[in-house]
Structures are given as C-alpha cells and as structure tokens.
Amino acid sequence: MEALASSIRIILSSPPGFMESSPKCLVLRSASRDASSSCLGLKQRQTLKKTSSFNGVLQKADRKNLGFECRCDASETENYVEMKKTSGSSARRKRLAVFVSGGGSNFRSIHEAIKGKLVHGDISVLVTDKPGCGGAEYARDNQIPVVVYPHLKSSSDGVSTSDLIAILRKCEVDFILLAGFLKLIPVELVREYPKSIVNIHPSLLPAFGGKGFYGLKVHKAVIESGARYSGPTIHFVDENYDTGRTLAQRVVPVLADDSVEDLAARVLEQEHKLYVEVVSALCDDRIVWREDGVPLIRSKENPEKLY
C-alpha cells in the first residue's frame, strides 16, 4: 500500500496534504474539496457518485486535519493507478491555436517540436492580424488554417471577436499560445479561456513589460538600464498587457558590449527552448496551481518535482 500511496501522489494534479492506507482503504485529505475529489477524476460535490467502478465519499474532515477527506477502495484505487500509468501515451492530443503578428519563429519551433513528437498536441489554427506576415505564410505552407483577427478596416479580411470565439470552439481548441501577437487580447476571449492562454515576452517580467514594450524596444531598454540579466518569460494572459501569472522564465546574461541585436538573438534562442517545454507541459496536463494562485510545472522526468 505504501507504493500505491506514493504512486497516487505522483499522478494527482493536486497531491493531497495527508494520506494514510490500510489493506482495504486509502484515505486522502487536502485543503480543498477540489483537490480531494480529483483523486477520482470527478467534479466538486459533497457525495461522489459511482464512476468507472469507483466509490468514494467526500466529507468534511476534523479541524485537526486538512480540509476535506476522500476514502477509496484500495483494490479499485490500485487499478486506477495502473490505468493512469499506462494511459499517458493514449491520452487525447491537445488542440492548440497560435496567435502571431510577425515571422513567427516561436510558432515554427513549436510546430517542429510537434512534428518531432516532443509535444502531445496539434496546431489547429493560426490567428494573425497581419495576413501577409511570415508566420501566416509558414502556416499556409504547412496546411494550417489561417484566421485574420481583428477585422481590418482597410479590407474585407478579418473576423469579429464573437466570430473568432466561435471558430476556436469549432476547432475545439484547448490552449491559445501568443507568439509575438501585438494586439491586446479582448476580455471576452480571456473569459472564454481562463487559465488557458499563455504569452511569451522577451524580458524577465515584471521588468520591461506592458504596453509599448515589444521586440527590439525591450532589449534596448534592458541594455540602457544597466541590467546584468534578461531572458524570456512565459505567463498566463489576463485582461492587461504582461500582467498575468508567470509560468516560466529563463535567465540569460547581458554582456558589457552587447548590441540590441546581440541580446535579442541570445534571448530568442532561449525563447524557442522554453516555449516548447511549456507547451509540452500544457499538453501533458503538468501545470499545477499553488494555493496562492501561482502556476507551477510538474517535471516530466521526476513527477514529484515542481518548478
């Protein structure tokens, strides 16, 4: 049972704060009802209904314990663990939408990683505000549908926000990846995809972020400030520029004789690597939200490690 309990801690997206086991029963307690009920893969509810041969009862724990309690039949739990261990490769591939405004080098690196089987997902649609940009051309060359957004006043191209949301729904998009998209994401889209939109920014946020900080302007500001370090940040998107929760960062040095282009190239190299790592984690359901709202990534090689 100890081995079973250890396996349960690894496979749960929100591991319980307390666990005890007997030959016939596994008891899990956690600070939130959601974390406890996740052991059976069910939605929050006071009584867990029977699902896939599982019986469980969710009840208030004593004050001396953590929050809520879930009791599971040990033999059924063992079957569940074995199923989870062997089902990773057969899990549904995530559907991705990528938003670009320029050459789309991060978009290309993600697409190459998908082709190399490093990411368990597929790019279903590319969204751009510049239909002639390099990212859009690359998408067309690779048979990825291109949607122009927002509507362009100078032509008949482009869709409205409501039409864009309808398209993303039809494509059954799981995650939206902003890869050099310069338009502010509308509130309606942020609310439609909570905790499911990420952006990459070429500085260590919250420094050198916000409206007007993009491209070479960021690197110029970093050098002029005298900062000794910079690097890319990937963050979840909220209703403002570059203010969502940080998910991942990569530090690079700023050298004394760096030009803006030198620093940009060094940061971009790390952007490509970091974005692929993050998208892989998203598609593998390895994002864990700490109780204070900070997102962490569960290591693929060592599932007990969060970073």
Side-chain angles (χ1 to χ4, degrees), residues 51-66:
T51 300
S52 301
S53 80
F54 265 84
N55 287 295
V57 176
L58 187 65
Q59 59 191 36
K60 269 287 186 71
D62 296 334
R63 286 185 179 272
K64 63 181 180 180
N65 296 319
L66 290 173

Side-chain angles (χ1 to χ4, degrees), residues 176-292:
I176 295 173
L177 315 175
L178 307 186
F181 187 69
L182 301 182
K183 297 291 185 180
L184 183 65
I185 299 301
V187 173
E188 298 91 332
L189 188 56
V190 173
R191 293 175 180 172
E192 182 72 20
Y193 284 89
K195 296 182 178 179
S196 300
I197 308 176
V198 294
N199 178 51
I200 190 161
H201 183 79
S203 74
L204 297 174
L205 293 175
F208 309 105
K211 188 174 182 180
F213 278 99
Y214 61 89
L216 294 181
K217 293 182 179 181
V218 174
H219 306 299
K220 183 174 185 291
V222 169
I223 292 173
E224 290 178 348
S225 76
R228 270 35 174 194
Y229 296 95
S230 189
T233 297
I234 294 178
H235 64 92
F236 282 95
V237 172
D238 59 16
E239 297 171 7
N240 301 298
Y241 282 109
D242 303 328
T243 58
R245 290 286 191 171
T246 295
L247 178 58
Q249 292 182 316
R250 187 68 51 81
V251 177
V252 303
V254 181
L255 305 182
D257 58 349
D258 267 345
S259 68
V260 171
E261 292 75 16
D262 291 336
L263 180 58
R266 192 177 305 119
V267 172
L268 185 62
E269 181 181 3
Q270 295 304 316
E271 286 185 35
H272 294 164
K273 297 176 181 178
L274 186 63
Y275 220 160
V276 168
E277 291 176 14
V278 167
V279 175
S280 175
L282 287 168
C283 291
D284 291 345
D285 295 319
R286 289 189 285 112
I287 306 302
V288 178
W289 290 84
R290 210 166 64 187
E291 289 183 7
D292 59 0

Side-chain angles (χ1 to χ4, degrees), residues 141 174 233 285 302 306:
D141 290 342
D174 297 293
T233 297
D285 295 319
N302 179 10
L306 300 175

